[in-house]
Amino acid sequence: MIRVQAEDFDVGQELEKLSDGNHGVGGVCSFVGLVRDIAGDKTIEAMTLEHYPQMTEPALAKIEAEAHDRWPLEETLIIHRYGRLEPGDRIVLVAAASAHREAAFEACHFLIDWLKTQAPFWKLEETPDGGQWVDARSSDGRAAERWLTDKPQDKPQDKPKGKPNAAE
Amino acid sequence: MKILYFAWLREKAGIGEEDVSPPETVTTVAELVEWMKSRGGGFAEAFANEGMVRVAVNQEHVQTDHPVAAGDEIAFFPPITGG
């Protein structure tokens, strides 16, 4: 599931929905990104997230599909906000639900790493010196590249897929 | 073709989007960028440091040798800083 929105989200509710009615889920791993009040030696008063609306959802859908290709996942979630946010505000939530924890942990890590280099968002920080566009960090590029070379675990072929139905 | 600019490229170009009709000799992203620069002013400034410019053609990340054609939507932006 993908959502791109200006408004905040409720982490607890979102995570609950991810496994709701699906008892094949054994674990949910999530990452929440927040606005910091400091970057290097600069105080951040607020941050504005700009995005490329026509491309954002397709880009996120591709990232999500890639995660499902690599790991045996029951469900994934990416919520990314745009607009003006203040320190402490939530920016992004990614989560992965799987039968076992390893796939959930790895897929969650992958989702946020890839999102940071593939999803068309840009941060403008408001500092006492005025607005400053955030520079891409080379560490983010390296974090994403790791997933290009790391071979994901093999998907079990005999894994029953889909939501269990009480009637079956 | 439709051109979109984001983040500081938009600020330098002084425009968020525009329709352009480059000469027929412009067939790749790299050639389009050269033509953009030749228009001078904010465009020359926006593309002054090409190493900092990323591009998407029809909402897909591409390299500068990617072809461009009439009707394409071409977006220029700095390296992504979301998440």
Side-chain angles (χ1 to χ4, degrees):
Chain A
M1 285 180 291
I2 287 160
R3 294 213 318 266
V4 182
Q5 61 189 44
E7 58 271 21
D8 194 15
F9 47 83
D10 183 315
V11 177
Q13 266 183 20
E14 297 297 342
L15 295 184
E16 207 168 305
K17 273 192 278 180
L18 210 57
S19 61
D20 197 24
N22 183 352
H23 297 157
V25 173
V28 176
C29 189
S30 65
F31 174 86
V32 180
L34 306 170
V35 179
R36 268 192 312 271
D37 64 358
I38 198 141
D41 53 359
K42 292 175 299 177
T43 309
I44 308 299
E45 289 154 2
M47 170 185 284
T48 298
L49 271 144
E50 178 173 329
H51 76 127
Y52 175 6
Q54 299 94 318
M55 183 174 169
T56 310
E57 290 204 17
L60 292 178
K62 241 173 116 172
I63 294 166
E64 189 177 45
E66 181 70 30
H68 281 265
D69 270 353
R70 290 176 179 228
W71 291 278
L73 301 170
E74 293 293 328
E75 190 60 88
T76 48
L77 173 66
I78 304 175
I79 303 178
H80 206 302
R81 295 177 69 191
Y82 59 86
R84 190 174 183 277
L85 303 173
E86 293 182 347
D89 284 352
R90 284 175 276 269
I91 306 171
V92 63
L93 167 65
V94 302
S98 183
H100 300 288
R101 70 182 182 284
E102 193 173 50
F105 269 117
E106 289 184 2
C108 183
H109 200 165
F110 166 83
L111 286 170
I112 190 66
D113 280 353
W114 265 41
L115 186 153
K116 276 185 167 282
T117 60
Q118 302 289 316
F121 286 93
W122 302 275
K123 290 176 180 149
L124 176 68
E125 291 172 340
E126 290 173 32
T127 74
D129 302 331
Q132 290 180 1
W133 290 100
V134 174
D135 285 332
R137 293 169 55 184
S138 52
S139 60
D140 285 342
R142 285 195 300 275
E145 276 167 19
R146 179 158 72 87
W147 299 102
L148 294 175
T149 49
D150 270 17
K151 192 178 184 299
Q153 66 178 80
D154 288 325
K155 267 187 170 184
Q157 295 305 308
D158 56 348
K159 181 181 155 288
K161 185 82 185 164
K163 296 177 179 17
N165 188 321
E168 281 172 1
Chain B
M1 52 188 75
K2 185 177 178 184
I3 310 292
L4 303 173
Y5 304 91
F6 292 96
W8 55 256
L9 265 117
R10 173 175 48 74
E11 291 178 346
K12 286 186 194 289
I15 190 171
E17 71 175 81
E18 60 175 337
D19 285 305
V20 299
S21 304
E24 281 177 17
T25 51
V26 170
T27 59
T28 65
V29 168
E31 288 163 357
L32 179 63
V33 168
E34 281 311 305
W35 180 73
M36 291 290 207
K37 284 162 80 172
S38 74
R39 297 158 80 204
F43 298 110
E45 210 184 311
F47 293 103
N49 186 355
E50 282 179 47
M52 291 302 287
V53 178
R54 301 290 179 269
V55 61
V57 173
N58 299 326
Q59 298 93 39
E60 294 268 358
H61 295 282
V62 299
Q63 301 298 314
T64 54
D65 59 353
H66 193 276
V68 295
D72 282 348
E73 177 175 293
I74 297 151
F76 294 105
F77 43 79
I80 279 162
T81 55

